[in-house]
Amino acid sequence: MAIPTFQELIEQNAILNQRLTALEDNFLRLNNSFNSLIENAPIGIIVVENGKIFDLNSAFVKLLQYQNSDELKGKNIIEIIHPDFRDIAKQRLRELQTASVEKVIPLEEKMICKNGDFVDVLIAGQKSYYQNKPVILGYIFDITEQKKAESNDKIFKILFDNAPDGILIIDQEGFITDCNKEFYKQLKLDKSQIIGTQTTNYILEKSIFKEVIEELSEKKVTERIVTQTASDNSTLPVWRKITGLYDKQNKLYGAVAISRDISEIEQAKALLKRSIEEIQLQNEEITVSNEELRALNEEFSATNDALRDSYARNEKIIAELRKSEKKFRLTAENSEEYLFMFSIDERAEITYVSPSIKKMGYQTQHLLNTSLYDLLNQDDQIRIREIIEHGKLLNKDSIDEQGIKSEKLKINVLDSQNKIHFWEISLSIFSNFGLMISLDNTKRKENENLKKIQEQTIIESRDKLLELNQKLTKSEERYRNIYNSTSDAIFIHNSKTGSVVDANSAASEMFGFTYNELINIAPNIICVGKSPYSDVEASEYIKKAKNEGVQHFIWRSKKKDGTIFWTDITLKYAEISDESRIISVVRDVDKNIESQKALAESEEKFRELTETSPTAIFIYQENKFVHVNQSTVNMTGYTKEELMGMNFWDVVHPDMREMVKNMGYQRQHGEDVPTRYEMKLLTKNGEERWIDFNGSRVNYRGQPAAIGNVIDITKTKEIVRQLIAAKEKAEEADRLKSAFLANMSHEIRTPLNGILGFSQLLNDNDIEDERKSRYIEIINKSGEQLLTIINDILDVSKIEVGQFSIVVEKYSVNAVIDDILLLFEDKARSENKEISFEKGLSDTESLIYTDEIRLKQIFINLINNALKFTSKGYIKYGYRKKEEFLEFFVEDTGIGVPKEKQELIFDRFRQSNETTTRDFGGTGLGLSICKGIIELFGGKIWVESDGKTGSTFRFTIPYKRDN
C-alpha cells in the first residue's frame, strides 16, 4: 500500500474534523431535547447563581408548597434551608464552586416549606455553566417517608437490642439472620460469629427444628423448652417461643424466636425434688423411731399401773380422734376446697392434702412430704411463717388441742403449669400440726379483672369517641380549608341529575361563576357541548364513576365568558350525609397540554434525530439499556428488543468489560470518571470493533442514568495502523537502503581495489612468476566476487519486477547433490569443516522436472552461508520426499539465528545481525533470492534454530515426475 502524501493526510484530517463538528451539533440538539423534559421531572430541580435561586421547576415549587415559581426566584438558597443545616449547606456550595463539572456532591438536609413545615430532602449538587457563567444545578429528592421509616427502624432496633430475653431471627432453612445482645451473651459469642450459622448448632435437641417448622406450617406460634449450649460448652435451659414469619401468599419464610433463661426455675425444681427425697428419707427414719418408742411404751405399761389407767384414757381419746379423723377425711375428700395438714416445724412438711388438689394439676402423692412453702411466693412464705410461729407461742403452755384461728389471707399459688391461682385461705395452728383450708378465687378474680377491663375500656372508648368527635370537627374544618384553598376546582354533583350541589372557591375562579351561580348548574353549561365533549359524554362518565369506580380523562371545558380550555378531570363516587354524590376534581391543564404537545414534538424530533443519526446513541440505567437508536443496532448486530434486555457491558469486548462496567456504575452515581475514551465492542457475530465513546450522566424518567454517544472508529484505527506500519516500513526501507548502499559500496569497492591494485603490480617486469601467478589468482577471485554481487543485484531486480524465469527440464536431483559436494568439498576441508549429504530417493526416483541451475543456485547460497557462519563443526545437506514435495535442507553448527529474526532474514538486505555484514561480509541478498526462486518453484523456505547454536534451513519444491 502506498504511503499517503502530506496533502492527503491534511484532507483526511479535515474530513474527521467535519464529522466531529457534526457530532457536537447532534449532542447539543440532544441536550436541548432533554432540557425540555426538566420542567415536568418528578423531582425538584433548581439552578443557583451566586447563592440565589435563578431557575426552578414545578416539582420543586410543589415540594415546598408554594403557588408558583416567582415566589422562590431570587431567594437566597440558604433562607429555605433549616437553620441546623445551613453551615454544612454553605460548605457544600463552596465545594461545588471549585469542583469539576462532572462531580456531584450529595447532602441530606431539611428545607422550610411556605407554611413553615419542614421536609426532609436529598440534594445532589453539580457545577454547570449557563451563558458562560458558573451555576449550581440542584436535584432535590423528597425523602420524608424514608426518614420516617429509618426512625421507626431505629426505634425497633433499640427495642430489639435491649430486650431482656434473647431474640433471634432465622430463615426457613434454620440459618440465623439476626440476633440481639442478650442472645449472643447467652451463647458467649460475638454477633458476627453467630450470623449465618444454623440455630441447631446451639441446642442439644438437634431434631427439634424440623418439628417446629412443621408446627408453624399449621399454626402461627409454638413453644419449646430446650437445652442451649454456649461457646465454652456450658449448657442453659431456655424456654423458646417461636413465631412464624409469612409472606403475602401466607408462605412461611422464617421465624422469630424468644429465648428465655429458665435456669432458676429448673434449679428450684431440682431443689424441690431433692427436698422431697430428703423428707421421704426422714419419714422412714421417723417410722423406725416410732416402732422403737411403741415397744418401750408397752414395757412401761406392763410395769406401771398408774400409767395403764392413763393409757386406757388415751386409747379412748385416740378412738374418738380416729372417728373424728374419719369424718374429717370424708369431708375433706368430697370438698371443693383444698385442705392441707402440715407440720409446724421450720419446713412445714405437708402430711395430708385433699384429692381436690388434682384441679391444680398436682397428684396428692407428689405433694406429700414436700414443703408447703414450695407452693408459695416469697412474700406469702413470710406471712404464713409468721402465723405459724405466732400460733406455736400461743400453744406453748396449753395442754388441749384447740387451734388458734388466724384471720383470712389472700395468697398466690402456682399450679403444675406455672399458672398463678388466687387463693383465699383459713389457717389454724394446733399444738403439733397446722391446718390450711383454701378456696380458689381465680375465676372470680379473673371475672373481676375482666369487669375492670371492660369498665376501663368503656371509659377509654367514651374518651376516644369524644376525642374523635373533636378531631372530626377539626378535620372538617381542615377539609373545608383545604377544599377551598386548593388550586384545583372541586365540584360535588347529584349522582342522578349531574347538577352541582357544592363547589369550592377554586371552581368559581376557574370557570368565572359565583358560588350561587354554580349551585344547581347543569354539566352542559360548563362543557363545550359538542361531541366528544358534550353533556351526553359527561353523563356517561358520571354513570361509569358510580358503577365502575374512579374515572380519569381529559376534557374540553367552557368558562362563563365562553373561553374553551383543556382540563384534567377525575370523577369518584361517594356517600355524603347518606346522599349519593359524584366528586369531580378539575385541573386546568391548558398550558400543560400545549407543553405536552411541544414536548411530544420535541421528543419526536429527538427520536428522529437519534434514529437518523449515524452516531450510535443509547441510554442505560441501573446497568440496563433503556433506549437505543438504529445506529446502535447496526453497530452491534443485535435487534432493539435484544439490546433492551441486556446489560450495557454485554456488548463490550471481554478484555475491557470490567473496566467499562465499573466506570458506567461510577458515572451513574455521579463519581468523577473520564467522559471520553476508546474501547472495543464485540458484535453479535463475534466481530471486534473499535469505538470512540463519549458518556455523561443524565436523569432519565426521574432516575440517574447515563447517555452514550459512540462513533465506529474501526476503519480509522485500521487506517492509522496502516499509516504507522507504512511509516515504519518506509523508515525501515530507508534505513536498509542506506545500510545496503553503504554495504554495496564496501562489497564492490573491495574486489575492484583488488583487481586494480594487483593489475598495476603486474606491470612490474621484475616480478617473479610465482608471485605473478598469485596476483592473477587474486584478480580472478576478485572478479568472480564482483560478478557474484552484480548477478545477485540483477537477480533481485528481476524477481522484484517479475521478470525472473525458470527453465524446467528433467534432471536428477541426486546428480545435483553430487555436484554440490564437488564444489564445496575442497573449501570445507581447507577450513577444517566436515561436509556430508543425504539422499532421500534412488537415482531413478530422483529424476524430476525442475530447473537444475536455479536449484544449484539455492544450494550454493545456503551452503556458502553455512560455511561463512560456522567456525568449526559440520555442514550437512540433502533432501527427503514428503507427500507431493521434496524437502531439502542445509544444516550447520554455526552461530544460529535468533527467533525474532527468523522471518526477517528472507527480506532484502537483511541478516540475522546487521553487524554480521561487517564481521562476515556479504550483501544480504542471498536468502531473499533463494526465497524468490523457491516461490517460483511453488514451494516455501524457512529456518529452524534455537538462536544460539546451529541452524537448519529447509525448503520445498514440487516432486514432478511428468512435465
Side-chain angles (χ1 to χ4, degrees):
M1 179 179 176
I3 300 173
T5 64
F6 181 70
Q7 184 60 36
E8 287 172 337
L9 289 172
I10 291 174
E11 291 172 358
Q12 289 177 6
N13 186 55
I15 292 169
L16 289 173
N17 283 334
Q18 289 174 1
R19 289 182 65 191
L20 182 60
T21 302
L23 284 172
E24 290 174 347
D25 292 342
N26 289 341
F27 185 71
L28 285 173
R29 285 196 291 273
L30 181 62
N31 274 344
N32 291 335
S33 299
F34 274 112
N35 287 337
S36 67
L37 298 173
I38 289 176
E39 178 58 26
N40 297 305
I43 62 168
I45 301 174
I46 59 173
V47 182
V48 177
E49 183 181 13
N50 296 326
K52 294 185 178 180
I53 299 174
F54 172 74
D55 200 2
L56 65 163
N57 70 346
S58 57
F60 185 68
V61 175
K62 185 177 179 182
L63 177 65
L64 296 190
Q65 303 175 23
Y66 284 84
Q67 296 298 320
N68 55 63
S69 59
D70 292 336
E71 294 180 83
L72 284 165
K73 281 185 180 177
K75 269 185 177 288
N76 191 311
I77 185 66
I78 300 301
E79 291 178 14
I80 59 172
I81 293 174
H82 190 284
D84 293 347
F85 295 88
R86 285 177 181 172
D87 289 341
I88 186 67
K90 290 176 183 177
Q91 181 182 337
R92 290 290 186 271
L93 282 172
R94 288 194 293 270
E95 289 176 9
L96 283 167
Q97 287 167 357
T98 58
S100 62
V101 174
E102 297 86 0
K103 187 171 183 179
V104 176
I105 298 178
L107 174 64
E108 287 189 11
E109 60 185 34
K110 289 183 185 291
M111 282 193 160
I112 306 171
C113 299
K114 184 178 180 181
N115 63 1
D117 290 341
F118 301 119
V119 60
D120 289 294
V121 297
L122 170 65
I123 300 181
Q126 183 179 21
K127 185 178 179 180
S128 186
Y129 286 89
Y130 179 78
Q131 296 181 349
N132 295 323
K133 294 180 180 178
V135 295
I136 304 299
L137 285 178
Y139 304 93
I140 294 89
F141 301 85
D142 185 352
I143 58 171
T144 305
E145 294 302 320
Q146 177 186 332
K147 283 290 183 181
K148 287 180 181 177
E150 287 176 359
S151 177
N152 292 338
D153 185 60
K154 286 178 182 176
I155 293 169
F156 165 75
K157 197 66 179 171
I158 291 168
L159 294 173
F160 179 77
D161 283 336
N162 293 283
D165 292 325
I167 304 175
L168 61 152
I169 302 173
I170 61 173
D171 63 17
Q172 60 188 0
E173 302 297 329
F175 289 99
I176 298 172
T177 59
D178 200 359
C179 65
N180 70 345
K181 293 178 182 177
E182 179 60 27
F183 183 69
Y184 59 76
K185 280 183 182 177
Q186 289 176 3
L187 298 188
K188 301 175 182 177
L189 290 169
D190 292 333
K191 186 174 182 178
S192 60
Q193 296 173 289
I194 299 171
I195 301 304
T197 61
Q198 269 281 353
T199 181
T200 52
N201 291 356
Y202 309 110
I203 56 174
L204 296 181
E205 299 82 359
K206 302 297 182 183
S207 62
I208 195 174
F209 176 73
K210 186 176 179 182
E211 297 172 9
V212 168
I213 292 298
E214 289 174 355
E215 286 187 29
L216 289 177
S217 300
E218 299 174 1
K219 57 182 183 179
K220 304 294 184 183
V221 181
T222 186
E223 297 178 5
R224 287 287 190 283
I225 292 178
V226 296
T227 306
Q228 191 166 275
T229 57
S231 61
D232 61 358
N233 295 322
S234 61
T235 59
L236 184 70
V238 294
W239 168 77
R240 281 195 179 172
K241 182 177 182 180
I242 305 108
T243 305
L245 299 174
Y246 304 87
D247 59 19
K248 291 181 180 178
Q249 288 74 38
N250 204 30
K251 184 179 178 182
L252 181 72
Y253 68 84
V256 177
I258 296 173
S259 183
R260 179 172 295 169
D261 180 359
I262 59 170
S263 57
E264 291 183 359
I265 296 172
E266 292 298 314
Q267 288 168 6
K269 286 182 179 179
L271 180 61
L272 179 60
K273 185 178 179 182
R274 286 196 301 273
S275 298
I276 291 170
E277 290 172 352
E278 289 173 2
I279 290 167
Q280 288 174 344
L281 184 60
Q282 289 172 4
N283 282 339
E284 290 174 2
E285 292 174 354
I286 290 168
T287 303
V288 173
S289 298
N290 285 338
E291 291 294 332
E292 292 174 351
L293 288 171
R294 191 175 290 113
L296 290 170
N297 194 37
E298 289 174 358
E299 291 177 8
F300 284 124
S301 295
T303 57
N304 196 326
D305 293 336
L307 288 176
R308 187 181 296 114
D309 293 337
S310 177
Y311 177 75
R313 288 196 303 272
N314 285 341
E315 283 293 322
K316 189 175 181 180
I317 293 169
I318 289 168
E320 291 297 326
L321 285 173
R322 283 175 179 168
K323 288 179 183 180
S324 177
E325 181 184 355
K326 187 174 182 181
K327 290 178 182 179
F328 167 75
R329 287 186 180 276
L330 186 62
T331 303
E333 288 173 1
N334 291 282
S335 174
E336 289 295 318
E337 297 174 334
Y338 307 128
L339 275 69
F340 290 84
M341 292 178 67
F342 55 91
S343 65
I344 56 173
D345 56 10
E346 182 66 24
R347 192 162 176 271
E349 179 183 315
I350 298 171
T351 57
Y352 173 81
V353 61
S354 62
S356 56
I357 198 66
K358 291 179 181 178
K359 289 187 292 183
M360 294 283 287
Y362 294 110
Q363 297 296 324
T364 55
Q365 63 269 26
H366 292 161
L367 291 177
L368 289 176
N369 301 322
T370 63
S371 175
L372 179 65
Y373 298 133
D374 291 343
L375 298 174
L376 310 177
N377 62 38
Q378 191 171 2
D379 291 340
D380 291 337
Q381 286 179 22
I382 293 169
R383 292 165 64 198
I384 289 178
R385 196 183 298 276
E386 287 174 352
I387 292 169
I388 292 172
E389 293 301 320
H390 182 61
K392 286 164 67 177
L393 287 172
L394 289 175
N395 288 326
K396 186 174 182 182
D397 300 320
S398 177
I399 59 170
D400 60 21
E401 295 293 327
Q402 294 299 314
I404 304 304
K405 198 170 189 180
S406 71
E407 63 184 47
K408 289 184 179 180
L409 297 178
K410 292 180 180 179
I411 62 173
N412 299 333
V413 181
L414 292 175
D415 65 13
S416 63
Q417 300 299 318
N418 290 328
K419 180 183 175 183
I420 296 174
H421 287 249
F422 303 97
W423 284 5
E424 187 173 313
I425 68 168
S426 175
L427 192 64
S428 296
I429 306 303
F430 295 86
S431 59
N432 58 357
F433 71 95
L435 175 65
M436 184 173 76
I437 301 172
S438 307
L439 178 64
D440 193 341
N441 288 330
T442 304
K443 289 186 178 178
R444 190 182 73 187
K445 187 78 171 178
E446 288 175 349
N447 290 335
E448 288 175 356
N449 290 339
L450 181 60
K451 187 177 179 181
K452 288 180 181 178
I453 291 169
Q454 288 173 342
E455 290 173 352
Q456 184 64 29
T457 301
I458 291 169
I459 294 169
E460 289 177 356
S461 298
R462 184 189 63 198
D463 293 342
K464 284 183 178 178
L465 186 60
L466 290 172
E467 185 182 350
L468 284 172
N469 284 331
Q470 292 174 355
K471 286 183 177 179
L472 181 60
T473 302
K474 290 181 180 178
S475 177
E476 287 176 351
E477 292 175 0
R478 188 164 57 251
Y479 161 74
R480 180 58 62 180
N481 291 334
I482 295 171
Y483 179 70
N484 284 316
S485 63
T486 180
S487 59
D488 292 337
I490 301 176
F491 296 93
I492 300 177
H493 302 266
N494 185 309
S495 64
K496 294 179 181 178
T497 64
S499 61
V500 176
V501 297
D502 195 11
N504 68 349
S505 56
S508 297
E509 293 175 10
M510 187 179 293
F511 286 85
F513 293 93
T514 65
Y515 176 79
N516 292 330
E517 288 173 332
L518 285 174
I519 301 305
N520 295 321
I521 198 169
N524 64 310
I525 304 299
I526 53 177
C527 66
V528 172
K530 295 181 181 179
S531 182
Y533 308 107
S534 69
D535 56 336
V536 176
E537 285 83 7
S539 299
E540 188 64 30
Y541 276 122
I542 289 172
K543 286 179 183 177
K544 284 185 177 180
K546 183 177 180 181
N547 300 325
E548 300 176 12
V550 176
Q551 300 292 310
H552 182 260
F553 50 91
I554 300 298
W555 190 257
R556 295 285 275 166
S557 298
K558 185 172 68 174
K559 299 184 180 183
K560 183 178 181 179
D561 62 5
T563 303
I564 307 298
F565 65 109
W566 287 102
T567 54
D568 180 304
I569 298 180
T570 302
L571 299 182
K572 184 178 181 181
Y573 176 77
E575 294 281 344
I576 302 176
S577 301
D578 298 327
E579 296 285 345
S580 298
R581 296 290 183 247
I582 298 294
I583 300 173
S584 65
V585 180
V586 182
R587 178 171 293 178
D588 185 347
V589 293
D590 201 54
K591 292 181 180 179
N592 290 351
I593 293 293
E594 296 302 322
S595 299
Q596 287 174 8
K597 286 182 179 178
L599 178 61
E601 290 174 3
S602 177
E603 287 180 346
E604 185 61 29
K605 288 178 182 178
F606 167 70
R607 290 194 176 277
E608 287 179 8
L609 172 67
T610 57
E611 289 303 318
T612 57
S613 172
T615 303
I617 300 172
F618 53 82
I619 299 172
Y620 57 89
Q621 191 174 57
E622 293 296 333
N623 305 333
K624 299 287 185 183
F625 287 111
V626 293
H627 173 78
V628 294
N629 70 344
Q630 187 59 41
S631 294
T632 308
V633 172
N634 299 339
M635 185 180 294
T636 62
Y638 293 96
T639 64
K640 281 189 178 181
E641 291 74 18
E642 289 172 327
L643 286 168
M644 295 300 276
M646 295 168 64
N647 295 312
F648 69 86
W649 63 75
D650 289 340
V651 297
V652 178
H653 193 280
D655 295 348
M656 299 181 169
R657 192 167 290 165
E658 196 62 30
M659 178 269 291
V660 173
K661 178 179 176 181
N662 291 335
M663 292 179 71
Y665 178 84
Q666 292 168 352
R667 180 177 293 106
Q668 288 186 79
H669 289 78
E671 296 183 31
D672 192 7
V673 293
T675 58
R676 186 170 184 175
Y677 48 88
E678 294 179 357
M679 63 179 177
K680 282 194 293 185
L681 296 184
L682 194 65
T683 65
K684 185 177 180 179
N685 62 8
E687 180 184 0
E688 292 183 6
R689 304 197 70 81
W690 276 97
I691 62 165
D692 182 350
F693 173 81
N694 193 336
S696 58
R697 184 176 182 270
V698 295
N699 273 302
Y700 183 75
R701 295 178 179 173
Q703 296 295 324
I707 184 169
N709 297 274
V710 172
I711 304 172
D712 188 342
I713 58 170
T714 307
K715 290 182 180 178
T716 306
K717 277 276 186 183
E718 181 60 24
I719 290 170
V720 171
R721 189 194 64 77
Q722 291 176 358
L723 285 171
I724 292 171
K727 176 176 174 291
E728 290 175 350
K729 191 171 182 180
E731 290 173 348
E732 180 68 5
D734 185 61
R735 190 184 67 78
L736 291 174
K737 179 187 71 176
S738 300
F740 173 72
L741 291 175
N743 191 31
M744 283 299 99
S745 174
H746 171 75
E747 292 295 326
I748 293 173
R749 192 182 297 113
T750 300
L752 276 177
N753 286 338
I755 293 169
L756 293 173
F758 286 102
S759 297
Q760 290 174 359
L761 290 174
L762 289 175
N763 292 329
D764 187 356
N765 294 327
D766 296 331
I767 194 171
E768 298 173 357
D769 290 340
E770 183 180 350
R771 182 171 291 183
K772 186 182 290 185
S773 299
R774 178 69 184 277
Y775 290 168
I776 292 171
E777 183 183 352
I778 291 171
I779 291 170
N780 287 334
K781 285 186 177 181
S782 298
E784 290 173 359
Q785 184 180 350
L786 186 59
L787 181 62
T788 299
I789 292 169
I790 293 169
N791 285 336
D792 283 350
I793 294 170
L794 292 173
D795 285 346
V796 166
S797 300
K798 287 178 181 179
I799 291 170
E800 190 71 24
V801 298
Q803 294 181 355
F804 194 89
S805 60
I806 56 175
V807 180
V808 177
E809 293 183 7
K810 198 166 190 177
Y811 292 103
S812 169
V813 175
N814 285 352
V816 172
I817 295 298
D818 292 335
D819 291 346
I820 293 297
L821 182 64
L822 291 173
L823 282 172
F824 289 102
E825 188 174 23
D826 290 341
K827 184 177 182 182
R829 188 181 301 112
S830 67
E831 295 178 1
N832 294 320
K833 300 167 189 173
E834 296 180 11
I835 187 168
S836 60
F837 61 83
E838 177 186 323
K839 297 176 181 179
L841 297 171
S842 65
D843 290 343
T844 304
E845 291 174 327
S846 72
L847 289 170
I848 64 169
Y849 283 91
T850 187
D851 188 328
E852 179 191 28
I853 294 173
R854 297 306 179 190
L855 183 57
K856 285 183 178 179
Q857 185 178 357
I858 294 167
F859 266 119
I860 290 168
N861 272 327
L862 293 177
I863 294 174
N864 267 327
N865 281 346
L867 288 167
K868 184 194 304 182
F869 294 108
T870 301
S871 58
K872 60 181 179 178
Y874 66 87
I875 292 89
K876 184 177 181 181
Y877 67 97
Y879 72 95
R880 301 179 188 89
K881 183 176 180 300
K882 289 194 175 181
E883 297 177 353
E884 300 302 318
F885 286 86
L886 294 180
E887 183 179 289
F888 296 88
F889 68 90
V890 174
E891 180 183 338
D892 65 55
T893 57
I895 62 175
V897 181
K899 290 189 180 296
E900 65 273 13
K901 299 287 188 178
Q902 289 178 8
E903 293 289 335
L904 297 175
I905 59 174
F906 296 104
D907 294 342
R908 289 175 296 164
F909 321 129
R910 300 302 294 261
Q911 292 183 333
S912 64
N913 189 332
E914 306 303 338
T915 62
T916 55
T917 302
R918 293 283 177 261
D919 297 338
F920 297 96
T923 62
L925 297 175
L927 290 176
S928 176
I929 293 169
C930 290
K931 181 182 178 184
I933 296 171
I934 290 165
E935 286 175 350
L936 287 173
F937 274 132
K940 61 180 181 177
I941 184 171
W942 69 95
V943 64
E944 298 170 356
S945 174
D946 62 4
K948 296 177 181 178
T949 304
S951 304
T952 301
F953 284 83
R954 299 184 186 276
F955 65 93
T956 59
I957 64 172
Y959 180 62
K960 294 182 179 181
R961 299 298 302 278
D962 300 318
N963 191 3

